[in-house]
Amino acid sequence: MASLLNVKLKNVKWGEYRFKEIFNNIYQGRRLKKDDQIAGSIPFVMAGVKNNGVVNYISNPVAIFPSNSITVDIFGNTFYRNYSFGAGDDTGVYWNDENSYSQETMKFFAISMSKSLNGKFDFGKKLRSSQSLNFKMMLPVNSEGVDFDFMDAFIAELEAYLTSAGLKDYNLTIEEQQALDNYS
């Protein structure tokens, strides 16, 4: 199955798109120090990969970003969000309220964005969302432009494969988590 997905990726036509061509909203979260966070139910996203960047659940009066968004932190770590959330100043938030992209399309965008940002940012060179407007990502195209049908079908097929392989929503063992913690 995985090899069939690789063949599909190799056979599709690709085009370059600037982030600002895909998203009409690109915003940076706001600073909220850990000591100032009040316990609550709002997922609060900051830089990092542990728990997909969700560091706490708060009740502070912060900007609430919409579900069906993508977050990119200062290191280029990219995650799709299917829930509303708040974000710290080390996290950019990307969405489009004029085009209703499917969850599958947004997940594909997140993967493509992550690939385009990989290895470009670290503690010495941090990413801010305002710098990313003209960053480019590769997307599948057809004669009409972005091939949304391909992205939706590809992600649906990938998720079906992961589910059948027992890898959807996989929880790491203690040993696996320790290995990751020791690596990072």
Side-chain angles (χ1 to χ4, degrees):
M1 175 62 135
S3 62
L4 292 175
L5 291 172
N6 286 331
V7 169
K8 288 182 180 187
L9 288 176
K10 288 179 184 175
N11 290 334
V12 72
K13 291 182 182 177
W14 295 92
E16 271 189 340
Y17 288 85
R18 287 181 172 82
F19 288 11
K20 70 179 181 182
E21 293 176 289
I22 301 299
F23 305 105
N24 68 339
N25 291 283
I26 300 176
Y27 291 102
Q28 199 78 24
R30 296 288 175 249
R31 185 173 244 357
L32 181 60
K33 296 183 292 185
K34 185 174 179 90
D35 292 341
D36 296 333
Q37 295 173 11
I38 302 166
S41 60
I42 302 166
F44 192 68
V45 177
M46 294 181 70
V49 296
K50 187 174 184 177
N51 200 25
N52 293 342
V54 176
V55 296
N56 205 353
Y57 290 83
I58 63 168
S59 63
N60 300 67
V62 297
I64 303 298
F65 295 103
S67 62
N68 207 34
S69 298
I70 294 170
T71 58
V72 180
D73 72 15
I74 55 176
F75 307 116
N77 298 313
T78 307
F79 297 101
Y80 169 71
R81 310 278 172 194
N82 64 351
Y83 50 85
S84 299
F85 60 95
D89 64 341
D90 54 3
T91 304
V93 185
Y94 302 72
W95 77 96
N96 192 314
D97 55 15
E98 293 175 4
N99 294 314
S100 183
Y101 297 133
S102 70
Q103 286 189 12
E104 291 79 12
T105 291
M106 289 293 283
K107 290 174 184 178
F108 201 103
F109 288 161
I111 294 165
S112 185
M113 292 168 74
S114 179
K115 187 170 179 162
S116 73
L117 299 171
N118 187 36
K120 295 181 180 174
F121 300 96
D122 57 29
F123 282 104
K125 184 179 179 188
K126 297 177 182 176
L127 171 64
R128 295 291 177 192
S129 59
S130 60
Q131 300 168 322
S132 70
L133 299 176
N134 289 310
F135 287 1
K136 296 176 183 175
M137 62 177 147
M138 299 300 291
L139 296 174
V141 295
N142 58 27
S143 61
E144 299 169 14
V146 177
D147 192 344
F148 296 103
D149 291 337
F150 176 87
M151 291 188 289
D152 288 349
F154 183 86
I155 293 296
E157 191 172 341
L158 176 60
E159 288 180 339
Y161 167 74
L162 292 173
T163 300
S164 68
L167 298 173
K168 186 167 175 95
D169 296 326
Y170 181 77
N171 291 315
L172 298 176
T173 65
I174 293 171
E175 293 82 17
E176 290 168 331
Q177 185 61 54
Q178 286 175 339
L180 284 176
D181 292 343
N182 291 338
Y183 178 75
S184 55

